């Protein structure tokens, strides 16, 4: 086929194709990326810190280190553990500082693959690499260095007509 033939075939196909009036979004995380999804706050008598879409958990047992991201609905979309043979065979020990660093890199890579780059964490990263005294701080700093933001954006609430200030819509920044 020549380029003229390809062009005529494409224009003919576009002219005969009908497009639906409604498009259904089949991505359940789309509203979270736009910052307009519901963010559960809990009851006023419960402890604070339940307002998140995704939360980072790091658990350490005697022989295994596990890190996972948990959705507020209870679903775990991303998990990495030193129990996995592909990770375990590259480590000297499954619970030392090197395991924390490498597990953070693996978890960050999986988060980027899934499209989850912002999550809530109770432990915040330190400013300097020298200030990392615990293995958990090393893990958090390595996640930050790999491009994961450990703070979720605020939920966009549609302003009322009587409001004086109208915040920018998060999807208009790009």
């Amino acid at each position: 086929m020549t380029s003229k033939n390809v062009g005529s075939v494409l224009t003919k196909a576009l002219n005969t194709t009908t497009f639906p009036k409604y498009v259904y979004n089949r991505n359940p995380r789309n509203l979270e990326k736009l910052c307009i999804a519901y963010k559960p706050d809990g009851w006023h008598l419960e402890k604070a810190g339940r307002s998140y879409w995704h939360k980072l958990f790091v658990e350490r047992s005697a022989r295994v280190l596990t890190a996972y991201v948990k959705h507020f609905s209870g679903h775990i979309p991303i998990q990495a553990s030193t129990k996995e043979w592909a990770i375990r065979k590259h480590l000297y020990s499954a619970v030392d500082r090197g395991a924390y660093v490498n597990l953070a890199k693996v978890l960050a890579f999986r988060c980027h693959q899934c499209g989850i780059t912002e999550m809530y964490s109770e432990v915040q990263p330190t400013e300097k690499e020298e200030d990392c005294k615990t293995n958990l701080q090393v893990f958090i700093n390595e996640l930050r260095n790999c491009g994961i933001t450990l703070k979720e954006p605020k939920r966009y609430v549609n302003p009322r007509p009587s409001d004086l200030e109208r915040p920018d819509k998060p999807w208009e920044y790009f």
Side-chain angles (χ1 to χ4, degrees):
M1 292 183 106
T2 63
S3 62
K4 290 182 180 180
N5 291 343
V6 172
S8 65
V9 169
L10 285 176
T11 56
K12 184 178 178 182
L14 285 175
N15 291 337
T16 60
T17 305
T18 60
F19 295 103
K21 289 184 180 181
Y22 300 103
V23 178
Y24 295 102
N25 180 18
R26 294 183 292 175
N27 183 359
R29 306 285 184 249
N30 187 32
L31 295 177
E32 294 170 5
K33 294 298 273 184
L34 292 174
C35 300
I36 57 177
Y38 171 72
K39 203 183 248 193
D41 292 331
W43 298 97
H44 66 282
L45 295 177
E46 292 179 348
K47 66 179 183 176
R50 266 192 66 199
S51 181
Y52 61 85
W53 287 305
H54 297 98
K55 186 175 180 181
L56 175 68
F57 289 91
V58 180
E59 297 176 354
R60 181 182 188 259
S61 65
R63 295 183 182 186
V64 177
L65 179 65
T66 305
Y68 57 91
V69 177
K70 190 173 187 180
H71 192 257
F72 75 87
S73 64
H75 176 68
I76 299 175
I78 305 164
Q79 181 176 6
S81 175
T82 56
K83 193 187 302 184
E84 300 173 24
W85 178 246
I87 298 172
R88 181 75 177 244
K89 70 180 182 178
H90 294 286
L91 300 174
Y92 176 75
S93 172
V95 291
D96 65 345
R97 189 170 285 235
Y100 278 88
V101 170
N102 289 314
L103 193 68
K105 290 179 182 179
V106 169
L107 187 71
F109 179 72
R110 291 179 184 177
C111 286
H112 281 295
Q113 282 183 328
C114 290
I116 300 173
T117 57
E118 298 165 337
M119 62 188 75
Y120 172 75
S121 175
E122 292 177 353
V123 180
Q124 293 301 320
T126 57
E127 295 298 324
K128 297 179 183 176
E129 294 290 328
E130 300 86 31
D131 294 340
C132 297
K133 295 184 176 142
T134 64
N135 290 338
L136 186 60
Q137 288 176 341
V138 170
F139 180 87
I140 296 293
N141 278 345
E142 190 61 38
L143 273 179
R144 187 187 63 181
N145 293 341
C146 290
I148 302 295
T149 306
L150 295 173
K151 183 180 177 186
E152 287 187 336
K154 291 183 179 180
R155 180 176 175 251
Y156 175 76
V157 179
N158 197 12
R160 297 181 181 181
S162 60
D163 289 345
L164 292 177
E165 291 187 19
R166 295 183 179 264
D168 292 332
K169 295 175 182 155
W171 55 87
E172 291 182 351
Y173 287 128
F174 302 110

